[in-house]
Coordinates of all heavy atoms in Angstrom, one line a residue:
M2 N 0.8 -1.2 0.0 CA 0.0 0.0 0.0 C 0.9 1.2 0.0 O 1.8 1.4 0.8 CB -0.9 0.0 1.3 CG -2.3 -0.3 0.9 SD -3.3 -0.7 2.4 CE -3.4 0.8 3.2
T3 N 0.6 2.2 -0.9 CA 1.3 3.4 -0.9 C 0.4 4.6 -0.6 O -0.7 4.7 -1.1 CB 1.8 3.7 -2.3 OG1 1.8 2.5 -3.1 CG2 3.2 4.2 -2.3
D4 N 0.8 5.4 0.4 CA 0.1 6.6 0.7 C 0.7 7.7 0.0 O 1.9 7.9 0.0 CB 0.2 6.8 2.2 CG -0.7 5.8 3.0 OD1 -1.7 5.4 2.5 OD2 -0.3 5.6 4.2
A5 N -0.1 8.5 -0.7 CA 0.3 9.7 -1.4 C 0.8 10.7 -0.4 O 0.1 11.0 0.6 CB -0.7 10.2 -2.3
V6 N 1.9 11.3 -0.7 CA 2.4 12.4 0.2 C 2.2 13.7 -0.5 O 2.6 13.9 -1.7 CB 3.9 12.2 0.5 CG1 4.4 13.4 1.3 CG2 4.1 10.9 1.2
M7 N 1.5 14.7 0.1 CA 1.3 16.0 -0.5 C 2.1 17.0 0.2 O 2.4 16.9 1.4 CB -0.2 16.3 -0.3 CG -1.1 15.7 -1.3 SD -2.7 16.6 -1.2 CE -3.6 15.5 -0.1
S8 N 2.5 18.0 -0.5 CA 3.2 19.1 0.0 C 2.1 20.0 0.7 O 0.9 19.9 0.5 CB 3.9 19.9 -1.0 OG 3.0 20.6 -1.9
L9 N 2.6 20.9 1.5 CA 1.7 21.9 2.2 C 1.0 22.7 1.2 O -0.2 23.0 1.3 CB 2.5 22.8 3.2 CG 1.7 23.8 3.9 CD1 0.6 23.2 4.8 CD2 2.7 24.6 4.8
A10 N 1.7 23.1 0.1 CA 1.1 23.9 -1.0 C 0.0 23.2 -1.7 O -1.0 23.8 -2.2 CB 2.1 24.4 -2.0
E11 N 0.0 21.9 -1.7 CA -1.1 21.1 -2.3 C -2.2 20.8 -1.3 O -3.4 20.8 -1.7 CB -0.5 19.7 -2.8 CG 0.5 19.8 -3.9 CD 1.2 18.5 -4.1 OE1 1.4 17.8 -3.2 OE2 1.5 18.3 -5.3
A12 N -1.8 20.6 0.0 CA -2.8 20.2 1.0 C -3.7 21.3 1.5 O -4.9 21.2 1.8 CB -2.1 19.5 2.2
L13 N -3.1 22.5 1.6 CA -3.8 23.7 2.1 C -5.0 24.0 1.3 O -6.1 24.2 1.9 CB -2.9 24.9 2.3 CG -3.5 26.1 2.9 CD1 -4.2 25.8 4.3 CD2 -2.5 27.2 3.1
P14 N -4.9 24.1 0.0 CA -6.1 24.5 -0.8 C -7.2 23.4 -0.7 O -8.4 23.7 -0.7 CB -5.6 24.6 -2.2 CG -4.2 24.8 -2.1 CD -3.7 24.1 -0.9
L15 N -6.8 22.1 -0.6 CA -7.8 21.1 -0.4 C -8.6 21.2 0.9 O -9.8 21.0 1.0 CB -7.2 19.7 -0.5 CG -6.6 19.3 -1.9 CD1 -5.8 18.0 -1.8 CD2 -7.6 19.3 -2.9
E16 N -7.8 21.6 1.9 CA -8.4 21.8 3.3 C -9.3 23.0 3.3 O -10.4 23.0 3.9 CB -7.3 21.9 4.3 CG -7.7 21.7 5.7 CD -8.4 20.3 6.0 OE1 -8.1 19.3 5.3 OE2 -9.2 20.2 6.9
Q17 N -8.9 24.0 2.6 CA -9.7 25.2 2.5 C -11.0 24.9 1.8 O -12.1 25.4 2.2 CB -9.0 26.3 1.7 CG -7.8 27.0 2.5 CD -7.0 27.9 1.6 OE1 -6.3 27.4 0.7 NE2 -7.1 29.2 1.9
A18 N -11.0 24.1 0.8 CA -12.2 23.7 0.0 C -13.1 22.9 1.0 O -14.3 23.1 1.0 CB -11.9 23.0 -1.2
R19 N -12.5 22.0 1.7 CA -13.3 21.2 2.6 C -14.0 22.0 3.7 O -15.2 21.9 4.0 CB -12.4 20.1 3.3 CG -13.2 19.2 4.3 CD -12.3 18.4 5.1 NE -11.6 19.2 6.1 CZ -12.2 19.6 7.3 NH1 -13.4 19.3 7.6 NH2 -11.4 20.3 8.2
V20 N -13.3 23.0 4.2 CA -13.8 23.8 5.3 C -14.9 24.8 4.7 O -15.8 25.1 5.4 CB -12.7 24.6 6.0 CG1 -13.2 25.6 7.0 CG2 -11.8 23.6 6.8
R21 N -14.7 25.2 3.5 CA -15.8 26.0 2.9 C -17.1 25.2 2.8 O -18.2 25.8 2.9 CB -15.3 26.5 1.5 CG -14.4 27.7 1.6 CD -14.0 28.4 0.3 NE -13.3 29.6 0.5 CZ -11.9 29.6 0.6 NH1 -11.2 28.5 0.5 NH2 -11.3 30.7 0.9
E22 N -17.0 23.9 2.6 CA -18.3 23.1 2.6 C -18.9 23.1 4.0 O -20.1 23.1 4.1 CB -17.9 21.7 2.1 CG -17.6 21.7 0.6 CD -17.3 20.3 0.1 OE1 -17.5 19.3 0.9 OE2 -16.8 20.2 -1.0
V23 N -18.0 22.9 5.0 CA -18.5 22.9 6.4 C -19.1 24.3 6.7 O -20.1 24.3 7.4 CB -17.3 22.6 7.3 CG1 -17.7 22.8 8.8 CG2 -16.7 21.2 7.1
L24 N -18.5 25.4 6.2 CA -19.0 26.7 6.4 C -20.5 26.8 5.9 O -21.4 27.3 6.6 CB -18.2 27.7 5.7 CG -18.7 29.2 5.8 CD1 -18.8 29.7 7.2 CD2 -17.7 30.1 5.0
E25 N -20.7 26.2 4.7 CA -22.1 26.3 4.2 C -23.0 25.5 5.0 O -24.2 25.9 5.2 CB -22.1 25.7 2.7 CG -21.4 26.7 1.7 CD -21.9 28.1 1.8 OE1 -23.1 28.3 1.8 OE2 -21.0 29.0 1.9
A26 N -22.6 24.4 5.6 CA -23.4 23.6 6.5 C -23.8 24.5 7.7 O -25.0 24.5 8.2 CB -22.8 22.3 6.9
F27 N -22.8 25.2 8.3 CA -23.1 26.0 9.4 C -24.1 27.2 9.1 O -25.0 27.5 9.8 CB -21.8 26.6 10.0 CG -21.2 25.8 11.0 CD1 -20.4 24.7 10.7 CD2 -21.3 26.1 12.4 CE1 -19.8 23.9 11.6 CE2 -20.7 25.3 13.4 CZ -19.9 24.2 13.0
K28 N -23.9 27.8 7.9 CA -24.8 28.8 7.5 C -26.2 28.3 7.3 O -27.2 29.0 7.5 CB -24.3 29.5 6.2 CG -23.1 30.4 6.4 CD -22.6 31.0 5.1 CE -21.5 32.0 5.4 NZ -21.1 32.6 4.1
S29 N -26.3 27.1 6.8 CA -27.7 26.5 6.5 C -28.5 26.3 7.8 O -29.7 26.1 7.8 CB -27.6 25.2 5.7 OG -27.1 24.2 6.5
I30 N -27.8 26.2 8.9 CA -28.5 26.0 10.2 C -29.3 27.2 10.6 O -30.4 27.1 11.2 CB -27.4 25.7 11.4 CG1 -26.7 24.4 11.1 CG2 -28.1 25.8 12.7 CD1 -25.6 24.2 12.0
G31 N -28.9 28.4 10.1 CA -29.6 29.6 10.4 C -28.9 30.4 11.6 O -27.7 30.2 11.8
P32 N -29.7 31.1 12.3 CA -29.1 31.9 13.4 C -28.2 31.1 14.4 O -27.2 31.7 14.9 CB -30.3 32.6 14.1 CG -31.3 32.6 13.0 CD -31.1 31.4 12.2
A33 N -28.6 29.9 14.7 CA -27.9 29.1 15.6 C -26.5 28.8 15.1 O -25.6 28.5 15.9 CB -28.6 27.8 15.9
G34 N -26.2 28.8 13.8 CA -24.9 28.5 13.3 C -24.1 29.7 13.0 O -22.9 29.5 12.5
M35 N -24.6 30.9 13.2 CA -23.8 32.1 12.8 C -22.5 32.3 13.6 O -21.5 32.7 13.0 CB -24.7 33.3 13.0 CG -25.8 33.4 11.9 SD -25.2 33.4 10.2 CE -25.8 31.9 9.6
F36 N -22.5 32.0 14.8 CA -21.2 32.1 15.6 C -20.2 31.2 15.0 O -19.0 31.6 14.8 CB -21.4 31.9 17.1 CG -20.1 32.0 17.9 CD1 -19.6 33.3 18.1 CD2 -19.4 30.9 18.3 CE1 -18.4 33.4 18.8 CE2 -18.2 31.0 19.0 CZ -17.7 32.3 19.2
G37 N -20.5 29.9 14.8 CA -19.6 29.0 14.2 C -19.1 29.4 12.9 O -18.0 29.3 12.5
A38 N -20.1 29.9 12.1 CA -19.8 30.4 10.7 C -18.8 31.5 10.7 O -17.8 31.6 9.9 CB -21.0 30.8 10.0
A39 N -19.0 32.4 11.7 CA -18.1 33.6 11.8 C -16.7 33.1 12.2 O -15.7 33.6 11.6 CB -18.6 34.6 12.8
M40 N -16.6 32.1 13.1 CA -15.2 31.6 13.4 C -14.6 30.9 12.3 O -13.4 31.1 12.0 CB -15.4 30.7 14.6 CG -16.0 31.3 15.9 SD -15.0 32.7 16.5 CE -13.5 31.9 17.0
I41 N -15.3 30.2 11.5 CA -14.8 29.5 10.4 C -14.3 30.5 9.3 O -13.3 30.3 8.7 CB -15.8 28.5 9.8 CG1 -16.1 27.3 10.8 CG2 -15.4 27.9 8.4 CD1 -17.2 26.4 10.4
E42 N -15.1 31.5 9.1 CA -14.8 32.5 8.1 C -13.4 33.2 8.5 O -12.6 33.5 7.6 CB -15.9 33.6 8.0 CG -17.1 33.1 7.2 CD -18.3 34.0 7.2 OE1 -18.3 34.9 8.1 OE2 -19.1 33.9 6.3
A43 N -13.2 33.4 9.8 CA -12.0 34.0 10.3 C -10.8 33.1 10.0 O -9.7 33.5 9.5 CB -12.1 34.4 11.7
S44 N -11.0 31.8 10.2 CA -10.0 30.8 9.9 C -9.6 30.8 8.4 O -8.5 30.7 8.0 CB -10.4 29.5 10.4 OG -10.4 29.4 11.8
L45 N -10.7 30.8 7.6 CA -10.5 30.8 6.1 C -9.8 32.1 5.7 O -8.9 32.0 4.8 CB -11.8 30.6 5.4 CG -12.4 29.2 5.5 CD1 -13.8 29.2 5.0 CD2 -11.5 28.3 4.6
R46 N -10.1 33.2 6.2 CA -9.4 34.5 5.9 C -7.9 34.4 6.2 O -7.1 34.8 5.4 CB -10.0 35.7 6.6 CG -11.2 36.3 5.9 CD -11.6 37.6 6.5 NE -11.9 37.6 7.9 CZ -13.0 37.3 8.4 NH1 -14.0 36.9 7.7 NH2 -13.2 37.3 9.7
A47 N -7.6 33.8 7.4 CA -6.2 33.7 7.8 C -5.5 32.7 6.8 O -4.3 33.0 6.5 CB -6.1 33.2 9.2
A48 N -6.2 31.7 6.4 CA -5.6 30.7 5.5 C -5.4 31.3 4.1 O -4.3 31.1 3.5 CB -6.4 29.5 5.4
D49 N -6.3 32.1 3.7 CA -6.2 32.8 2.4 C -5.0 33.8 2.4 O -4.2 33.8 1.5 CB -7.5 33.6 2.0 CG -8.6 32.6 1.7 OD1 -8.4 31.5 1.4 OD2 -9.8 33.1 1.8
Q50 N -4.9 34.5 3.5 CA -3.8 35.5 3.6 C -2.4 34.8 3.7 O -1.5 35.2 3.1 CB -4.0 36.3 4.9 CG -3.0 37.4 5.0 CD -3.2 38.3 6.2 OE1 -4.2 38.1 7.0 NE2 -2.4 39.3 6.4
A51 N -2.4 33.7 4.4 CA -1.1 32.9 4.5 C -0.7 32.3 3.2 O 0.4 32.4 2.8 CB -1.3 31.8 5.6
A52 N -1.7 31.8 2.5 CA -1.4 31.2 1.2 C -0.9 32.3 0.2 O 0.0 32.1 -0.6 CB -2.6 30.5 0.6
S53 N -1.6 33.4 0.2 CA -1.2 34.5 -0.8 C 0.1 35.1 -0.4 O 0.8 35.6 -1.3 CB -2.3 35.6 -0.8 OG -2.4 36.3 0.4
S54 N 0.5 35.1 0.9 CA 1.8 35.7 1.2 C 3.0 34.7 1.0 O 4.1 35.1 0.9 CB 1.8 36.1 2.7 OG 1.8 34.9 3.6
G55 N 2.6 33.4 1.0 CA 3.7 32.4 0.8 C 4.5 32.2 2.1 O 5.5 31.5 2.1
D56 N 4.0 32.7 3.2 CA 4.6 32.5 4.5 C 4.3 31.0 5.0 O 3.2 30.7 5.4 CB 4.0 33.5 5.5 CG 4.7 33.4 6.9 OD1 5.3 32.3 7.2 OD2 4.4 34.3 7.7
V57 N 5.4 30.2 4.9 CA 5.2 28.8 5.2 C 4.8 28.5 6.6 O 3.9 27.7 6.8 CB 6.5 28.0 4.9 CG1 6.4 26.5 5.2 CG2 6.9 28.2 3.4
V58 N 5.3 29.2 7.5 CA 4.9 29.0 8.9 C 3.4 29.4 9.1 O 2.7 28.7 9.8 CB 5.8 29.9 9.9 CG1 5.3 29.8 11.3 CG2 7.2 29.4 9.8
A59 N 3.0 30.5 8.5 CA 1.6 30.9 8.6 C 0.7 29.9 7.9 O -0.4 29.6 8.4 CB 1.4 32.3 8.1
M60 N 1.2 29.4 6.8 CA 0.4 28.4 6.1 C 0.2 27.1 6.9 O -0.8 26.5 6.9 CB 1.1 28.0 4.7 CG 1.0 29.1 3.7 SD 2.0 28.8 2.3 CE 1.3 27.4 1.6
L61 N 1.3 26.7 7.6 CA 1.2 25.5 8.4 C 0.3 25.7 9.6 O -0.6 24.8 9.9 CB 2.6 25.1 8.9 CG 2.7 23.8 9.7 CD1 2.2 22.7 8.9 CD2 4.2 23.6 10.1
R62 N 0.3 26.9 10.2 CA -0.6 27.2 11.3 C -2.1 27.2 10.8 O -3.0 26.6 11.5 CB -0.3 28.6 11.9 CG 0.9 28.6 12.8 CD 1.1 29.9 13.4 NE 2.3 29.9 14.2 CZ 3.2 30.8 14.2 NH1 3.1 31.9 13.5 NH2 4.3 30.7 15.0
A63 N -2.3 27.8 9.6 CA -3.6 27.8 9.1 C -4.1 26.4 8.7 O -5.3 26.1 9.0 CB -3.6 28.7 7.8
Y64 N -3.2 25.6 8.2 CA -3.6 24.2 7.8 C -4.0 23.5 9.1 O -5.0 22.8 9.1 CB -2.4 23.6 7.1 CG -2.7 22.1 6.8 CD1 -3.5 21.8 5.7 CD2 -2.1 21.1 7.5 CE1 -3.8 20.4 5.4 CE2 -2.3 19.7 7.2 CZ -3.2 19.4 6.2 OH -3.4 18.1 5.9
Q65 N -3.2 23.6 10.1 CA -3.6 22.9 11.4 C -4.9 23.4 12.0 O -5.7 22.6 12.5 CB -2.4 23.0 12.4 CG -1.2 22.3 12.1 CD -1.4 20.8 12.0 OE1 -2.2 20.2 12.7 NE2 -0.7 20.2 11.0
D66 N -5.1 24.7 11.9 CA -6.4 25.3 12.4 C -7.5 24.7 11.6 O -8.6 24.3 12.2 CB -6.3 26.8 12.2 CG -7.6 27.5 12.8 OD1 -8.1 27.0 13.8 OD2 -8.0 28.5 12.2
L67 N -7.4 24.7 10.3 CA -8.5 24.2 9.4 C -8.8 22.7 9.6 O -9.9 22.3 9.6 CB -8.2 24.4 7.9 CG -8.1 25.9 7.5 CD1 -7.8 26.0 6.0 CD2 -9.4 26.6 7.8
K68 N -7.7 21.9 9.9 CA -7.9 20.5 10.2 C -8.8 20.2 11.4 O -9.4 19.2 11.5 CB -6.5 19.8 10.4 CG -5.7 19.7 9.1 CD -6.2 18.8 8.1 CE -6.0 17.3 8.5 NZ -6.4 16.4 7.5
G69 N -8.8 21.2 12.3 CA -9.6 21.0 13.5 C -11.1 21.4 13.4 O -11.9 21.2 14.3
I70 N -11.4 21.9 12.2 CA -12.8 22.3 11.9 C -13.6 21.1 11.4 O -13.2 20.5 10.4 CB -12.9 23.5 11.0 CG1 -12.2 24.7 11.6 CG2 -14.3 23.8 10.6 CD1 -12.1 25.9 10.7
E71 N -14.7 20.8 12.1 CA -15.5 19.7 11.6 C -17.0 20.1 11.7 O -17.4 21.0 12.4 CB -15.3 18.5 12.5 CG -13.9 17.9 12.5 CD -13.7 16.7 13.3 OE1 -14.7 16.0 13.6 OE2 -12.6 16.4 13.6
A72 N -17.8 19.4 10.9 CA -19.2 19.7 10.8 C -19.9 19.1 12.0 O -19.6 18.2 12.6 CB -19.9 19.2 9.5

């Protein structure tokens, strides 16, 4: 069995896409999901900024933060 190894530059956009789907689930809850949605949006903004800056340390922090977000 071979496990594919991804670089951070490959894994971060995939994680951002996954979390955007979770964000939509929180928004669909209505008012009860708004606090969670706001927190997720803040994490996604940080990830977007880290990715656009190319700061590897910030990208790693953002990736770890996004990994902790679940529906």
Side-chain angles (χ1 to χ4, degrees):
M2 252 165 70
T3 342
D4 288 331
V6 176
M7 278 193 265
S8 70
L9 180 59
E11 295 168 325
L13 182 57
L15 295 175
E16 197 60 24
Q17 287 171 291
R19 182 192 69 80
V20 171
R21 282 190 171 87
E22 290 178 12
V23 173
L24 174 60
E25 291 308 312
F27 270 80
K28 286 182 175 181
S29 72
I30 294 170
M35 288 301 117
F36 179 75
M40 299 302 291
I41 292 170
E42 287 172 338
S44 292
L45 284 168
R46 276 192 304 276
D49 291 342
Q50 184 176 1
S53 67
S54 73
D56 181 345
V57 177
V58 174
M60 289 171 65
L61 186 55
R62 285 185 182 133
Y64 177 75
Q65 290 299 323
D66 182 38
L67 296 178
K68 290 292 284 186
I70 296 173
E71 297 183 20

